[in-house]
Amino acid sequence: MSLGLLGVALFALSLPMTRLAVGSTQSPQLSPEFVALGRAAVAGVLAAAWLVWKRASWPRRRDWALLAAMAGGVVFGFPLLTSIALREVDAVHASLILALLPLFTAALGALLAGQRPSVGFWVFAVLGAALVMVYALLHGAGRFAWNLHWADGLLVAAMLSAAVGYALGGHLAQSRPAGDVIGWALVLSLPISVPAAWWLRPANAVQFSAWGGFGYVAVVSMWLGFLAWYRALALGGTVRISQLQLLQPFLSMMAAAILLHETLGLTTLLFAGAVLAVVSVARRMPVHQAPHPAPDSRS
């Protein structure tokens, strides 16, 4: 739980920092494509050095396909889609759209691990997601419900990409160190991320704050945060630990209020307390291992 909370806290700054890096349509900074691929390139180089230093073992042959799918979700899909979307909408709005990520992660994690969450777990998981969505309707003053932006579609796709990457990473981290899992996924991405980042590098000067945001998402969001997060998923189970992500939207909004001066009111704090209570109860609900089929006596 402690590692999971650390991972969520580190990831919570990803959206505000990405917003800081890309700017807005009125004041653009780094291009969304460069931010997404550049962060993967920087993290990939760091991960390669880490793997060499610790003399990490090579992935098993059957793991390469899972690592590639994981990279497609968390190395390319989520960063690229959110970077483009955050040019159009603010970090608070994006945080709300991504609030259903824990449910998708839990569902995929249960399928991969052969687990059967109890009915109580799903009741509280859905309740937590419902609280977040109610907050979205109230906080957005109708924007989310009645005036969907095209960027919201990108954020939904980003949420699905992250859920796939988190579930696969948590599954792989059960059989090898979490640092190796994200490390090999990043290294596997280097042949694409490095040339693309170099091609997309900014031609004009950008603000120092934009480079600061880029540095955070490259080093912390894309690498260090995953060390804690995937280890937590392996130790506590993807289904249970993923529910800590319900707190991430509120942490992101608080960070956006501090760093970007976006609006944050009392309603946000009240809903954050309610979601925290739901997470505390949901993580105590039993999660059962699905029974394995009995062996065929004729074999």
Side-chain angles (χ1 to χ4, degrees):
M1 291 297 292
S2 298
L3 286 171
L5 285 171
L6 175 60
V8 167
L10 295 176
F11 289 148
L13 288 172
S14 297
L15 292 181
M17 288 298 184
T18 300
R19 173 76 169 178
L20 200 62
V22 301
S24 63
T25 52
Q26 293 78 24
S27 178
Q29 298 298 318
L30 296 168
S31 73
E33 296 80 10
F34 171 78
V35 170
L37 295 166
R39 65 190 272 186
V42 172
V45 172
L46 293 174
W50 165 264
L51 292 172
V52 171
W53 178 77
K54 67 173 296 195
R55 298 179 181 178
S57 60
W58 286 79
R60 297 167 297 185
R61 181 177 300 179
R62 64 176 180 269
D63 289 342
W64 284 109
L66 296 179
L67 285 168
M70 172 187 156
V74 298
V75 178
F76 294 117
F78 182 83
L80 183 59
L81 293 169
T82 52
S83 295
I84 296 174
L86 283 167
R87 266 280 179 90
E88 306 295 330
V89 297
D90 58 39
V92 168
H93 182 84
S95 300
L96 297 175
I97 304 298
L98 297 174
L100 292 180
L101 177 57
L103 277 182
F104 285 95
T105 303
L108 292 172
L111 290 174
L112 285 173
Q115 294 176 328
R116 295 185 306 170
S118 64
V119 174
F121 171 86
W122 287 115
V123 167
F124 282 99
V126 172
L127 177 59
L131 281 171
V132 173
M133 296 309 297
V134 169
Y135 172 82
L137 296 175
L138 294 175
H139 184 272
R143 178 182 179 184
F144 178 79
W146 308 113
N147 188 25
L148 286 172
H149 195 283
W150 63 266
D152 294 337
L154 297 180
L155 292 169
V156 171
M159 175 181 64
L160 295 174
S161 297
V164 171
Y166 288 166
L168 290 175
H171 177 70
L172 288 168
Q174 292 177 355
S175 58
R176 64 186 305 120
D180 291 6
V181 172
I182 184 58
W184 282 114
L186 288 165
V187 169
L188 186 62
S189 307
L190 282 175
I192 297 175
S193 61
V194 170
W198 178 258
W199 178 264
L200 296 166
R201 68 189 188 280
N204 302 317
V206 298
Q207 295 178 3
F208 180 77
S209 59
W211 284 115
F214 173 80
Y216 184 92
V217 296
V219 178
V220 179
S221 301
M222 186 57 77
W223 187 43
L224 294 179
F226 279 115
L227 298 182
W229 182 242
Y230 283 140
R231 182 60 177 161
L233 293 178
L235 290 174
T238 302
V239 174
R240 193 181 305 279
I241 298 299
S242 66
Q243 297 312 292
L244 292 172
Q245 292 173 309
L246 286 169
L247 300 175
Q248 188 169 324
F250 302 99
L251 296 176
S252 294
M253 284 183 270
M254 292 177 187
I258 296 172
L259 297 173
L260 305 175
H261 308 291
E262 295 181 4
T263 303
L264 177 65
L266 179 61
T267 304
T268 298
L269 300 177
L270 293 176
F271 270 85
V275 171
L276 179 60
V278 169
V279 171
S280 298
V281 177
R283 75 181 187 88
R284 290 179 171 83
M285 295 291 106
V287 178
H288 307 290
Q289 189 70 27
H292 295 286
D296 191 341
S297 60
R298 297 171 296 175
S299 60

